[in-house]
Amino acid sequence: MKKIILFIACLLPIVSIAQEKNTIIKGTVDSKELTKIFTIYYNKATQHKAMDSVEVKDGKFQLVVPMDGLVVSVMMYAGHDGKGLKREDIRDSKAFLVDKYGTDIHIKQSVRMAELSNNKIEKEKENYVKYMYIPEADSAKIGFYINGLSPIIFGINKNSIDTSSVEKLNQYKNAVATLKKMDGFIQKKLDYQRKYVKENPDSYFSFLAVEDIARYGKDVNEARKLFVGLSDRLHKSPDAAATDSLINKTLDDKLHPEKVAQRAAALVPPKALTIGLMAPDFTQFDVNGKAVKLSDFKGKYVLVDFWASWCVPCRRENPNLIKAYQQFKDKNFTILGVALEEKGHKDAWLAAIKKDGLIWPQVADIQNADNEAQKAYKVSSIPMNFLIDPSGKIIATNLRDKGLLDKLSEILSN
Protein backbone atom coordinates (compact mmCIF):
# COMPACT_ATOMS: atom_id res chain seq x y z
CA MET A 1 0.00 0.00 0.00
CA LYS A 2 1.49 3.29 -1.05
CA LYS A 3 0.21 6.62 0.11
CA ILE A 4 -0.05 9.50 -2.26
CA ILE A 5 -0.22 12.77 -0.46
CA LEU A 6 -1.54 16.22 -1.50
CA PHE A 7 -4.22 18.77 -2.75
CA ILE A 8 -4.77 21.45 -5.48
CA ALA A 9 -3.28 24.42 -4.09
CA CYS A 10 -6.84 24.39 -3.15
CA LEU A 11 -8.78 21.55 -1.40
CA LEU A 12 -6.01 25.01 2.77
CA PRO A 13 -2.53 26.42 6.03
CA ILE A 14 -0.17 24.83 8.58
CA VAL A 15 0.38 27.31 11.38
CA SER A 16 1.37 25.09 14.24
CA ILE A 17 4.07 22.53 14.76
CA ALA A 18 2.44 19.22 13.87
CA GLN A 19 4.10 15.88 13.46
CA GLU A 20 2.22 13.57 11.16
CA LYS A 21 0.42 10.78 12.97
CA ASN A 22 -1.49 7.83 11.62
CA THR A 23 -4.80 6.19 12.37
CA ILE A 24 -6.20 2.86 11.13
CA ILE A 25 -9.23 1.86 9.08
CA LYS A 26 -9.96 -1.86 9.35
CA GLY A 27 -12.43 -3.24 6.84
CA THR A 28 -14.31 -6.42 6.04
CA VAL A 29 -15.98 -7.09 2.69
CA ASP A 30 -18.69 -9.66 1.99
CA SER A 31 -18.84 -9.19 -1.79
CA LYS A 32 -16.18 -11.03 -3.79
CA GLU A 33 -16.71 -8.54 -6.61
CA LEU A 34 -15.14 -5.72 -4.59
CA THR A 35 -11.43 -6.36 -5.06
CA LYS A 36 -9.79 -3.04 -4.26
CA ILE A 37 -10.53 -0.12 -1.94
CA PHE A 38 -9.71 3.47 -2.90
CA THR A 39 -9.72 6.43 -0.53
CA ILE A 40 -9.17 10.16 -0.57
CA TYR A 41 -8.17 11.73 2.74
CA TYR A 42 -8.55 15.39 3.61
CA ASN A 43 -6.90 16.97 6.64
CA LYS A 44 -8.76 20.20 7.27
CA ALA A 45 -6.10 21.43 9.70
CA THR A 46 -3.52 21.67 6.90
CA GLN A 47 -5.80 21.60 3.84
CA HIS A 48 -3.82 18.57 2.76
CA LYS A 49 -5.24 15.76 0.62
CA ALA A 50 -4.01 12.24 0.10
CA MET A 51 -5.08 9.34 -2.06
CA ASP A 52 -4.56 5.70 -1.16
CA SER A 53 -5.63 2.24 -2.25
CA VAL A 54 -5.39 -1.31 -0.93
CA GLU A 55 -6.25 -4.79 -2.17
CA VAL A 56 -9.04 -6.74 -0.49
CA LYS A 57 -7.60 -10.08 0.62
CA ASP A 58 -9.71 -12.86 2.10
CA GLY A 59 -12.51 -10.37 2.60
CA LYS A 60 -10.38 -7.95 4.64
CA PHE A 61 -8.36 -4.79 4.18
CA GLN A 62 -6.52 -2.25 6.31
CA LEU A 63 -5.60 1.35 5.57
CA VAL A 64 -3.08 3.49 7.44
CA VAL A 65 -4.41 7.05 7.31
CA PRO A 66 -2.05 10.05 7.73
CA MET A 67 -3.29 12.61 10.25
CA ASP A 68 -2.17 16.23 10.48
CA GLY A 69 -4.84 17.33 12.94
CA LEU A 70 -7.54 15.92 15.20
CA VAL A 71 -9.80 14.58 12.44
CA VAL A 72 -9.48 13.32 8.86
CA SER A 73 -12.28 13.35 6.31
CA VAL A 74 -12.41 10.16 4.25
CA MET A 75 -14.11 9.44 0.93
CA MET A 76 -14.11 5.72 0.14
CA TYR A 77 -14.72 3.92 -3.16
CA ALA A 78 -14.32 0.31 -4.31
CA GLY A 79 -12.89 -1.13 -7.52
CA HIS A 80 -14.28 -4.26 -9.12
CA ASP A 81 -11.47 -5.51 -11.34
CA GLY A 82 -8.40 -5.28 -9.12
CA LYS A 83 -7.02 -2.41 -11.18
CA GLY A 84 -8.29 1.15 -11.30
CA LEU A 85 -11.51 3.00 -10.64
CA LYS A 86 -14.20 2.96 -13.28
CA ARG A 87 -16.75 5.70 -13.81
CA GLU A 88 -19.53 3.60 -12.29
CA ASP A 89 -17.41 2.95 -9.17
CA ILE A 90 -17.36 6.66 -8.33
CA ARG A 91 -21.10 6.68 -7.76
CA ASP A 92 -20.80 4.04 -5.02
CA SER A 93 -18.97 5.94 -2.31
CA LYS A 94 -19.11 6.74 1.38
CA ALA A 95 -17.89 9.82 3.27
CA PHE A 96 -17.00 9.66 6.95
CA LEU A 97 -14.63 11.01 9.58
CA VAL A 98 -11.88 9.30 11.56
CA ASP A 99 -9.84 10.45 14.53
CA LYS A 100 -6.85 8.93 16.31
CA TYR A 101 -8.96 5.96 17.41
CA GLY A 102 -9.65 4.90 13.82
CA THR A 103 -12.69 2.93 12.69
CA ASP A 104 -13.97 -0.44 11.56
CA ILE A 105 -16.07 -0.63 8.41
CA HIS A 106 -18.13 -3.54 7.09
CA ILE A 107 -19.01 -3.52 3.39
CA LYS A 108 -21.67 -5.97 2.28
CA GLN A 109 -22.49 -5.28 -1.38
CA SER A 110 -22.27 -1.50 -1.55
CA VAL A 111 -19.70 0.97 -0.20
CA ARG A 112 -22.42 3.60 0.11
CA MET A 113 -24.34 1.36 2.51
CA ALA A 114 -21.27 0.24 4.49
CA GLU A 115 -21.59 0.12 8.28
CA LEU A 116 -19.13 1.93 10.55
CA SER A 117 -18.34 0.73 14.05
CA ASN A 118 -15.89 1.65 16.83
CA ASN A 119 -15.82 5.17 15.42
CA LYS A 120 -15.75 7.77 18.20
CA ILE A 121 -15.72 10.88 16.04
CA GLU A 122 -18.68 9.73 13.89
CA LYS A 123 -20.68 9.12 17.07
CA GLU A 124 -19.77 12.61 18.27
CA LYS A 125 -20.81 14.01 14.88
CA GLU A 126 -24.16 12.20 15.12
CA ASN A 127 -24.77 13.78 18.54
CA TYR A 128 -23.78 17.21 17.24
CA VAL A 129 -26.20 17.01 14.30
CA LYS A 130 -29.01 15.81 16.60
CA TYR A 131 -28.32 18.64 19.05
CA MET A 132 -29.02 21.24 16.34
CA TYR A 133 -31.81 19.44 14.48
CA ILE A 134 -34.67 21.75 13.44
CA PRO A 135 -37.71 19.65 12.45
CA GLU A 136 -39.48 22.71 11.03
CA ALA A 137 -36.78 22.96 8.35
CA ASP A 138 -37.61 19.45 7.17
CA SER A 139 -41.32 20.30 7.18
CA ALA A 140 -40.53 23.34 5.03
CA LYS A 141 -38.61 21.04 2.64
CA ILE A 142 -35.28 22.82 3.20
CA GLY A 143 -33.82 20.44 5.78
CA PHE A 144 -31.06 19.53 3.32
CA TYR A 145 -29.73 23.10 3.59
CA ILE A 146 -30.15 23.46 7.34
CA ASN A 147 -29.83 20.16 9.20
CA GLY A 148 -26.34 19.02 8.21
CA LEU A 149 -23.07 19.76 9.96
CA SER A 150 -23.19 23.34 8.65
CA PRO A 151 -25.92 25.28 6.86
CA ILE A 152 -25.62 25.37 3.08
CA ILE A 153 -26.10 28.91 1.84
CA PHE A 154 -26.77 29.86 -1.74
CA GLY A 155 -27.30 33.24 -3.33
CA ILE A 156 -28.94 34.65 -6.42
CA ASN A 157 -26.95 36.52 -9.02
CA LYS A 158 -29.34 39.29 -10.05
CA ASN A 159 -27.41 39.82 -13.26
CA SER A 160 -28.22 36.28 -14.39
CA ILE A 161 -31.95 36.32 -13.62
CA ASP A 162 -33.98 35.08 -16.59
CA THR A 163 -37.64 36.13 -16.59
CA SER A 164 -38.27 35.37 -20.25
CA SER A 165 -40.96 32.81 -19.41
CA VAL A 166 -43.53 32.25 -16.68
CA GLU A 167 -41.71 29.06 -15.65
CA LYS A 168 -38.35 30.81 -15.15
CA LEU A 169 -39.97 33.72 -13.35
CA ASN A 170 -41.63 31.30 -10.94
CA GLN A 171 -38.30 29.55 -10.38
CA TYR A 172 -36.77 32.89 -9.40
CA LYS A 173 -39.67 33.72 -7.04
CA ASN A 174 -39.41 30.28 -5.41
CA ALA A 175 -35.67 30.74 -4.87
CA VAL A 176 -36.24 34.12 -3.20
CA ALA A 177 -38.94 32.63 -0.96
CA THR A 178 -36.62 29.75 0.00
CA LEU A 179 -33.86 32.17 0.96
CA LYS A 180 -36.23 34.10 3.22
CA LYS A 181 -37.30 30.90 4.98
CA MET A 182 -33.70 29.76 5.31
CA ASP A 183 -32.57 32.91 7.09
CA GLY A 184 -34.86 32.30 10.05
CA PHE A 185 -33.78 28.69 10.39
CA ILE A 186 -30.10 29.61 10.10
CA GLN A 187 -30.39 32.09 12.95
CA LYS A 188 -32.10 29.40 15.04
CA LYS A 189 -29.31 26.96 14.21
CA LEU A 190 -26.71 29.54 15.23
CA ASP A 191 -28.44 29.83 18.61
CA TYR A 192 -28.08 26.05 19.03
CA GLN A 193 -24.43 26.27 18.00
CA ARG A 194 -23.68 29.03 20.52
CA LYS A 195 -25.17 26.86 23.24
CA TYR A 196 -23.29 23.77 22.02
CA VAL A 197 -19.90 25.54 22.15
CA LYS A 198 -20.49 26.75 25.70
CA GLU A 199 -21.58 23.28 26.84
CA ASN A 200 -18.94 21.36 24.86
CA PRO A 201 -15.69 23.38 24.87
CA ASP A 202 -13.63 20.23 24.25
CA SER A 203 -15.63 18.93 21.25
CA TYR A 204 -14.01 19.00 17.82
CA PHE A 205 -17.36 20.13 16.42
CA SER A 206 -17.17 23.31 18.47
CA PHE A 207 -14.59 24.40 15.88
CA LEU A 208 -17.23 23.99 13.16
CA ALA A 209 -19.86 25.80 15.24
CA VAL A 210 -17.53 28.75 15.87
CA GLU A 211 -16.73 28.97 12.16
CA ASP A 212 -20.45 29.05 11.27
CA ILE A 213 -21.08 31.75 13.87
CA ALA A 214 -18.24 33.79 12.36
CA ARG A 215 -19.55 33.35 8.80
CA TYR A 216 -23.30 33.68 9.33
CA GLY A 217 -23.66 35.53 12.63
CA LYS A 218 -23.97 39.29 12.89
CA ASP A 219 -20.96 39.77 15.15
CA VAL A 220 -17.61 38.21 14.27
CA ASN A 221 -16.25 39.24 17.67
CA GLU A 222 -18.76 36.88 19.26
CA ALA A 223 -17.10 34.00 17.41
CA ARG A 224 -13.72 35.18 18.66
CA LYS A 225 -14.92 35.11 22.29
CA LEU A 226 -16.36 31.61 21.88
CA PHE A 227 -13.13 30.46 20.23
CA VAL A 228 -11.05 31.75 23.14
CA GLY A 229 -13.22 29.75 25.52
CA LEU A 230 -12.42 26.38 23.91
CA SER A 231 -10.35 23.80 25.79
CA ASP A 232 -6.55 23.76 25.93
CA ARG A 233 -6.56 20.48 23.99
CA LEU A 234 -8.34 22.10 21.06
CA HIS A 235 -6.20 25.24 21.18
CA LYS A 236 -3.01 23.18 21.06
CA SER A 237 -4.18 21.27 17.96
CA PRO A 238 -3.33 22.29 14.36
CA ASP A 239 -7.08 22.62 13.75
CA ALA A 240 -7.18 25.71 16.00
CA ALA A 241 -5.01 27.66 13.57
CA ALA A 242 -7.44 26.95 10.72
CA THR A 243 -10.43 28.20 12.73
CA ASP A 244 -8.50 31.25 13.95
CA SER A 245 -7.56 32.05 10.35
CA LEU A 246 -11.18 31.79 9.20
CA ILE A 247 -12.34 34.17 11.94
CA ASN A 248 -9.67 36.71 10.97
CA LYS A 249 -10.52 36.38 7.28
CA THR A 250 -14.25 36.82 7.93
CA LEU A 251 -13.59 39.97 9.97
CA ASP A 252 -11.35 41.31 7.20
CA ASP A 253 -14.05 40.57 4.59
CA LYS A 254 -16.61 42.55 6.56
CA LEU A 255 -14.22 45.47 6.91
CA HIS A 256 -13.16 45.29 3.24
CA PRO A 257 -16.09 44.07 1.08
CA GLU A 258 -14.17 45.02 -2.05
CA LYS A 259 -11.84 42.06 -1.41
CA VAL A 260 -14.81 39.69 -1.48
CA ALA A 261 -15.85 41.06 -4.86
CA GLN A 262 -12.30 40.64 -6.17
CA ARG A 263 -12.16 37.00 -5.04
CA ALA A 264 -15.55 36.29 -6.58
CA ALA A 265 -14.34 37.67 -9.89
CA ALA A 266 -11.19 35.56 -9.65
CA LEU A 267 -13.29 32.40 -9.23
CA VAL A 268 -14.62 32.69 -12.78
CA PRO A 269 -12.43 30.12 -14.55
CA PRO A 270 -10.48 31.36 -17.56
CA LYS A 271 -11.11 29.67 -20.86
CA ALA A 272 -8.40 27.16 -21.67
CA LEU A 273 -6.27 27.66 -24.77
CA THR A 274 -8.09 26.58 -27.90
CA ILE A 275 -7.30 24.74 -31.12
CA GLY A 276 -5.25 26.72 -33.62
CA LEU A 277 -3.18 28.67 -31.12
CA MET A 278 0.55 28.16 -30.74
CA ALA A 279 1.31 26.28 -27.53
CA PRO A 280 3.15 28.45 -24.96
CA ASP A 281 6.58 27.12 -24.05
CA PHE A 282 7.28 26.41 -20.40
CA THR A 283 9.94 24.92 -18.17
CA GLN A 284 9.25 22.42 -15.37
CA PHE A 285 11.39 19.87 -13.56
CA ASP A 286 11.45 16.11 -14.04
CA VAL A 287 11.63 13.45 -11.32
CA ASN A 288 15.40 13.98 -11.02
CA GLY A 289 15.14 17.75 -10.75
CA LYS A 290 16.34 18.36 -14.32
CA ALA A 291 14.80 21.30 -16.18
CA VAL A 292 12.61 20.21 -19.12
CA LYS A 293 11.10 22.53 -21.73
CA LEU A 294 8.10 21.82 -23.91
CA SER A 295 10.19 23.11 -26.83
CA ASP A 296 12.58 20.19 -26.24
CA PHE A 297 9.95 18.05 -28.00
CA LYS A 298 9.46 20.30 -31.02
CA GLY A 299 9.14 18.25 -34.19
CA LYS A 300 6.96 15.63 -32.44
CA TYR A 301 3.30 15.28 -31.69
CA VAL A 302 3.07 15.92 -27.94
CA LEU A 303 0.14 15.37 -25.62
CA VAL A 304 0.60 17.79 -22.71
CA ASP A 305 -1.34 16.11 -19.94
CA PHE A 306 -2.24 18.08 -16.79
CA TRP A 307 -2.94 15.77 -13.86
CA ALA A 308 -2.19 15.24 -10.14
CA SER A 309 -1.59 12.34 -7.80
CA TRP A 310 -4.65 13.23 -5.70
CA CYS A 311 -7.00 13.57 -8.69
CA VAL A 312 -9.21 10.46 -8.98
CA PRO A 313 -10.45 11.17 -12.56
CA CYS A 314 -6.84 11.74 -13.63
CA ARG A 315 -5.69 8.45 -12.16
CA ARG A 316 -8.65 6.69 -13.73
CA GLU A 317 -7.63 8.08 -17.14
CA ASN A 318 -4.01 6.89 -16.89
CA PRO A 319 -4.65 3.37 -18.29
CA ASN A 320 -6.03 5.03 -21.46
CA LEU A 321 -2.89 7.17 -21.72
CA ILE A 322 -0.68 4.12 -21.30
CA LYS A 323 -2.53 2.37 -24.13
CA ALA A 324 -2.17 5.42 -26.39
CA TYR A 325 1.51 5.81 -25.58
CA GLN A 326 2.31 2.16 -26.24
CA GLN A 327 0.41 2.22 -29.54
CA PHE A 328 1.87 5.46 -30.97
CA LYS A 329 5.24 6.07 -29.27
CA ASP A 330 7.10 4.87 -32.37
CA LYS A 331 5.13 7.20 -34.65
CA ASN A 332 6.66 10.53 -33.66
CA PHE A 333 4.38 10.84 -30.63
CA THR A 334 5.01 11.29 -26.92
CA ILE A 335 3.27 12.46 -23.78
CA LEU A 336 4.49 15.12 -21.37
CA GLY A 337 2.82 14.78 -17.99
CA VAL A 338 2.51 18.03 -16.01
CA ALA A 339 1.58 17.33 -12.40
CA LEU A 340 -0.22 20.02 -10.39
CA GLU A 341 1.07 18.85 -7.04
CA GLU A 342 0.98 20.55 -3.68
CA LYS A 343 4.12 22.47 -2.81
CA GLY A 344 6.79 20.22 -1.31
CA HIS A 345 4.96 16.92 -1.79
CA LYS A 346 7.28 15.25 -4.29
CA ASP A 347 6.90 11.79 -2.71
CA ALA A 348 3.19 11.68 -3.56
CA TRP A 349 3.93 12.52 -7.19
CA LEU A 350 6.71 9.91 -7.52
CA ALA A 351 4.57 7.24 -5.85
CA ALA A 352 1.70 7.89 -8.26
CA ILE A 353 4.00 7.69 -11.30
CA LYS A 354 5.38 4.34 -10.14
CA LYS A 355 2.06 2.89 -9.06
CA ASP A 356 0.26 3.81 -12.29
CA GLY A 357 3.18 2.74 -14.52
CA LEU A 358 3.66 6.08 -16.29
CA ILE A 359 6.78 5.70 -18.42
CA TRP A 360 6.70 8.93 -20.48
CA PRO A 361 8.36 12.19 -19.38
CA GLN A 362 6.88 13.66 -16.21
CA VAL A 363 7.42 17.18 -14.89
CA ALA A 364 6.15 19.34 -12.04
CA ASP A 365 7.02 22.47 -10.09
CA ILE A 366 7.03 21.03 -6.57
CA GLN A 367 8.82 24.04 -5.01
CA ASN A 368 6.15 26.59 -5.93
CA ALA A 369 2.50 26.83 -4.93
CA ASP A 370 1.50 28.22 -8.35
CA ASN A 371 2.27 26.24 -11.48
CA GLU A 372 3.30 28.55 -14.31
CA ALA A 373 2.39 26.00 -16.99
CA GLN A 374 -1.10 25.73 -15.55
CA LYS A 375 -1.43 29.53 -15.73
CA ALA A 376 -0.07 29.71 -19.27
CA TYR A 377 -2.56 27.12 -20.50
CA LYS A 378 -5.40 28.53 -18.33
CA VAL A 379 -6.19 25.12 -16.85
CA SER A 380 -8.96 25.46 -14.27
CA SER A 381 -9.77 21.76 -13.79
CA ILE A 382 -8.04 18.42 -14.31
CA PRO A 383 -7.60 16.09 -16.07
CA MET A 384 -6.96 18.35 -19.04
CA ASN A 385 -4.72 17.83 -22.05
CA PHE A 386 -3.55 19.56 -25.22
CA LEU A 387 -2.38 17.77 -28.37
CA ILE A 388 0.37 19.76 -30.06
CA ASP A 389 1.63 19.14 -33.58
CA PRO A 390 5.33 19.18 -34.68
CA SER A 391 5.14 22.91 -35.45
CA GLY A 392 4.00 23.71 -31.91
CA LYS A 393 0.34 24.37 -32.71
CA ILE A 394 -2.53 23.07 -30.57
CA ILE A 395 -4.63 20.73 -32.73
CA ALA A 396 -6.92 19.13 -30.11
CA THR A 397 -7.83 19.51 -26.44
CA ASN A 398 -9.37 17.49 -23.62
CA LEU A 399 -9.07 14.11 -25.34
CA ARG A 400 -10.43 11.26 -23.20
CA ASP A 401 -11.06 7.52 -23.43
CA LYS A 402 -11.69 6.31 -26.99
CA GLY A 403 -11.60 9.89 -28.27
CA LEU A 404 -7.86 10.06 -27.63
CA LEU A 405 -7.11 6.86 -29.53
CA ASP A 406 -9.40 7.87 -32.40
CA LYS A 407 -7.70 11.25 -32.78
CA LEU A 408 -4.20 9.78 -32.68
CA SER A 409 -5.20 7.11 -35.19
CA GLU A 410 -6.56 9.79 -37.47
CA ILE A 411 -3.35 11.82 -37.57
CA LEU A 412 -0.68 9.15 -37.04
CA SER A 413 -1.90 6.04 -38.86
CA ASN A 414 -0.14 7.06 -42.02
Short mmCIF file of all heavy atoms in Angstrom, two decimals, residues 4 14 25 31 65 73 101 103 107 133 141 163 165 170 203 205 208 226 238 240 318 322 333 347 359 387 398 409:
data_model
loop_
_atom_site.label_atom_id
_atom_site.label_comp_id
_atom_site.label_asym_id
_atom_site.label_seq_id
_atom_site.Cartn_x
_atom_site.Cartn_y
_atom_site.Cartn_z
N ILE A 4 -0.32 8.42 -1.34
CA ILE A 4 -0.05 9.50 -2.26
C ILE A 4 -0.63 10.76 -1.64
O ILE A 4 -1.81 10.82 -1.44
CB ILE A 4 -0.70 9.23 -3.60
CG1 ILE A 4 -0.19 7.89 -4.09
CG2 ILE A 4 -0.40 10.31 -4.59
CD1 ILE A 4 -0.97 7.35 -5.22
N ILE A 14 -0.75 25.36 7.35
CA ILE A 14 -0.17 24.83 8.58
C ILE A 14 0.39 26.01 9.37
O ILE A 14 1.25 26.70 8.90
CB ILE A 14 0.97 23.84 8.27
CG1 ILE A 14 0.41 22.66 7.49
CG2 ILE A 14 1.63 23.37 9.54
CD1 ILE A 14 1.48 21.67 7.09
N ILE A 25 -7.91 2.31 9.51
CA ILE A 25 -9.23 1.86 9.08
C ILE A 25 -9.14 0.36 8.81
O ILE A 25 -8.35 -0.07 7.96
CB ILE A 25 -9.69 2.58 7.79
CG1 ILE A 25 -9.81 4.09 8.02
CG2 ILE A 25 -11.03 2.01 7.31
CD1 ILE A 25 -10.14 4.87 6.75
N SER A 31 -18.76 -8.97 -0.35
CA SER A 31 -18.84 -9.19 -1.79
C SER A 31 -17.48 -9.55 -2.38
O SER A 31 -16.50 -8.83 -2.18
CB SER A 31 -19.39 -7.94 -2.49
OG SER A 31 -19.33 -8.08 -3.90
N VAL A 65 -3.99 5.72 7.73
CA VAL A 65 -4.41 7.05 7.31
C VAL A 65 -3.52 8.12 7.95
O VAL A 65 -3.41 8.17 9.18
CB VAL A 65 -5.88 7.30 7.71
CG1 VAL A 65 -6.34 8.66 7.21
CG2 VAL A 65 -6.78 6.19 7.18
N SER A 73 -11.11 13.69 7.12
CA SER A 73 -12.28 13.35 6.31
C SER A 73 -11.89 12.28 5.29
O SER A 73 -10.83 12.41 4.65
CB SER A 73 -12.82 14.58 5.57
OG SER A 73 -13.24 15.57 6.49
N TYR A 101 -8.52 7.29 17.02
CA TYR A 101 -8.96 5.96 17.41
C TYR A 101 -9.33 5.08 16.22
O TYR A 101 -9.59 3.90 16.38
CB TYR A 101 -10.17 6.07 18.35
CG TYR A 101 -9.85 6.82 19.62
CD1 TYR A 101 -10.29 8.13 19.80
CD2 TYR A 101 -9.08 6.25 20.63
CE1 TYR A 101 -10.00 8.84 20.96
CE2 TYR A 101 -8.78 6.95 21.80
CZ TYR A 101 -9.24 8.25 21.95
OH TYR A 101 -8.94 8.95 23.08
N THR A 103 -11.34 3.45 12.88
CA THR A 103 -12.69 2.93 12.69
C THR A 103 -12.66 1.55 12.08
O THR A 103 -11.67 1.16 11.43
CB THR A 103 -13.51 3.88 11.78
OG1 THR A 103 -14.89 3.45 11.78
CG2 THR A 103 -13.02 3.83 10.34
N ILE A 107 -18.38 -3.73 4.69
CA ILE A 107 -19.01 -3.52 3.39
C ILE A 107 -19.67 -4.83 2.96
O ILE A 107 -19.01 -5.86 2.84
CB ILE A 107 -17.97 -3.09 2.33
CG1 ILE A 107 -17.23 -1.84 2.78
CG2 ILE A 107 -18.66 -2.84 0.99
CD1 ILE A 107 -16.05 -1.46 1.90
N TYR A 133 -30.76 19.80 15.45
CA TYR A 133 -31.81 19.44 14.48
C TYR A 133 -33.02 20.36 14.61
O TYR A 133 -33.53 20.60 15.71
CB TYR A 133 -32.22 17.99 14.68
CG TYR A 133 -33.34 17.55 13.77
CD1 TYR A 133 -33.15 17.45 12.40
CD2 TYR A 133 -34.61 17.26 14.29
CE1 TYR A 133 -34.17 17.06 11.56
CE2 TYR A 133 -35.64 16.86 13.45
CZ TYR A 133 -35.42 16.77 12.09
OH TYR A 133 -36.43 16.39 11.27
N LYS A 141 -39.31 21.65 3.78
CA LYS A 141 -38.61 21.04 2.64
C LYS A 141 -37.27 21.72 2.33
O LYS A 141 -36.82 21.76 1.18
CB LYS A 141 -39.50 21.04 1.40
CG LYS A 141 -40.76 20.22 1.57
CD LYS A 141 -41.60 20.19 0.30
CE LYS A 141 -42.85 19.33 0.51
NZ LYS A 141 -43.70 19.29 -0.70
N THR A 163 -36.18 36.08 -16.77
CA THR A 163 -37.64 36.13 -16.59
C THR A 163 -38.35 36.08 -17.94
O THR A 163 -39.43 36.63 -18.11
CB THR A 163 -38.03 37.42 -15.83
OG1 THR A 163 -37.55 38.56 -16.58
CG2 THR A 163 -37.43 37.45 -14.44
N SER A 165 -39.77 33.67 -19.36
CA SER A 165 -40.96 32.81 -19.41
C SER A 165 -41.57 32.77 -18.02
O SER A 165 -40.93 33.08 -17.01
CB SER A 165 -40.60 31.40 -19.86
OG SER A 165 -39.80 30.75 -18.87
N ASN A 170 -41.18 32.01 -12.14
CA ASN A 170 -41.63 31.30 -10.94
C ASN A 170 -40.46 30.64 -10.22
O ASN A 170 -40.43 30.59 -8.98
CB ASN A 170 -42.68 30.25 -11.31
CG ASN A 170 -44.03 30.87 -11.66
OD1 ASN A 170 -44.32 31.99 -11.23
ND2 ASN A 170 -44.84 30.16 -12.43
N SER A 203 -15.17 19.69 22.41
CA SER A 203 -15.63 18.93 21.25
C SER A 203 -15.01 19.48 19.96
O SER A 203 -15.02 20.70 19.73
CB SER A 203 -17.15 18.99 21.14
OG SER A 203 -17.59 18.47 19.89
N PHE A 205 -16.32 19.47 17.19
CA PHE A 205 -17.36 20.13 16.42
C PHE A 205 -17.65 21.55 16.90
O PHE A 205 -18.35 22.31 16.22
CB PHE A 205 -18.62 19.27 16.39
CG PHE A 205 -18.39 17.97 15.68
CD1 PHE A 205 -18.09 16.82 16.39
CD2 PHE A 205 -18.38 17.93 14.29
CE1 PHE A 205 -17.82 15.63 15.72
CE2 PHE A 205 -18.11 16.74 13.62
CZ PHE A 205 -17.83 15.59 14.34
N LEU A 208 -16.31 23.76 14.27
CA LEU A 208 -17.23 23.99 13.16
C LEU A 208 -18.30 24.99 13.55
O LEU A 208 -18.68 25.87 12.74
CB LEU A 208 -17.88 22.67 12.73
CG LEU A 208 -17.10 21.81 11.73
CD1 LEU A 208 -15.80 21.31 12.34
CD2 LEU A 208 -17.94 20.62 11.26
N LEU A 226 -16.06 33.03 21.72
CA LEU A 226 -16.36 31.61 21.88
C LEU A 226 -15.12 30.76 21.58
O LEU A 226 -14.87 29.76 22.24
CB LEU A 226 -17.52 31.21 20.95
CG LEU A 226 -18.89 31.77 21.32
CD1 LEU A 226 -19.89 31.52 20.18
CD2 LEU A 226 -19.40 31.12 22.61
N PRO A 238 -3.48 21.54 15.62
CA PRO A 238 -3.33 22.29 14.36
C PRO A 238 -4.66 22.84 13.85
O PRO A 238 -4.68 23.84 13.14
CB PRO A 238 -2.77 21.24 13.39
CG PRO A 238 -2.14 20.20 14.26
CD PRO A 238 -2.98 20.15 15.51
N ALA A 240 -6.89 24.39 15.43
CA ALA A 240 -7.18 25.71 16.00
C ALA A 240 -6.71 26.82 15.08
O ALA A 240 -7.38 27.86 14.94
CB ALA A 240 -6.54 25.83 17.38
N ASN A 318 -5.37 7.31 -16.56
CA ASN A 318 -4.01 6.89 -16.89
C ASN A 318 -3.91 5.60 -17.70
O ASN A 318 -3.06 5.50 -18.59
CB ASN A 318 -3.17 6.80 -15.60
CG ASN A 318 -2.69 8.16 -15.15
OD1 ASN A 318 -2.63 9.10 -15.93
ND2 ASN A 318 -2.35 8.28 -13.87
N ILE A 322 -1.70 5.17 -21.10
CA ILE A 322 -0.68 4.12 -21.30
C ILE A 322 -0.93 3.39 -22.62
O ILE A 322 0.00 3.13 -23.40
CB ILE A 322 -0.71 3.12 -20.12
CG1 ILE A 322 -0.21 3.81 -18.85
CG2 ILE A 322 0.13 1.89 -20.43
CD1 ILE A 322 -0.39 2.99 -17.59
N PHE A 333 5.33 10.38 -31.64
CA PHE A 333 4.38 10.84 -30.63
C PHE A 333 4.93 10.57 -29.24
O PHE A 333 5.57 9.54 -28.99
CB PHE A 333 3.04 10.11 -30.79
CG PHE A 333 2.10 10.31 -29.63
CD1 PHE A 333 1.39 11.50 -29.49
CD2 PHE A 333 1.93 9.31 -28.67
CE1 PHE A 333 0.53 11.68 -28.41
CE2 PHE A 333 1.07 9.49 -27.59
CZ PHE A 333 0.36 10.69 -27.47
N ASP A 347 7.07 13.23 -2.92
CA ASP A 347 6.90 11.79 -2.71
C ASP A 347 5.57 11.29 -3.25
O ASP A 347 5.48 10.20 -3.82
CB ASP A 347 7.01 11.45 -1.22
CG ASP A 347 8.44 11.59 -0.70
OD1 ASP A 347 9.36 11.72 -1.54
OD2 ASP A 347 8.63 11.58 0.53
N ILE A 359 5.39 5.82 -17.98
CA ILE A 359 6.78 5.70 -18.42
C ILE A 359 7.20 6.83 -19.38
O ILE A 359 8.32 6.82 -19.88
CB ILE A 359 7.02 4.33 -19.10
CG1 ILE A 359 6.05 4.13 -20.28
CG2 ILE A 359 6.86 3.21 -18.09
CD1 ILE A 359 6.29 2.85 -21.05
N LEU A 387 -3.17 18.47 -27.36
CA LEU A 387 -2.38 17.77 -28.37
C LEU A 387 -1.73 18.81 -29.27
O LEU A 387 -2.41 19.66 -29.86
CB LEU A 387 -3.27 16.83 -29.19
CG LEU A 387 -2.54 15.99 -30.25
CD1 LEU A 387 -1.47 15.11 -29.61
CD2 LEU A 387 -3.54 15.13 -31.03
N ASN A 398 -8.49 18.26 -24.50
CA ASN A 398 -9.37 17.49 -23.62
C ASN A 398 -9.79 16.16 -24.24
O ASN A 398 -10.96 15.80 -24.27
CB ASN A 398 -10.62 18.31 -23.27
CG ASN A 398 -11.23 17.88 -21.95
OD1 ASN A 398 -10.55 17.30 -21.10
ND2 ASN A 398 -12.50 18.16 -21.77
N SER A 409 -5.13 7.98 -34.01
CA SER A 409 -5.20 7.11 -35.19
C SER A 409 -5.42 7.93 -36.44
O SER A 409 -4.83 7.66 -37.50
CB SER A 409 -6.35 6.10 -35.03
OG SER A 409 -6.09 5.21 -33.96
#
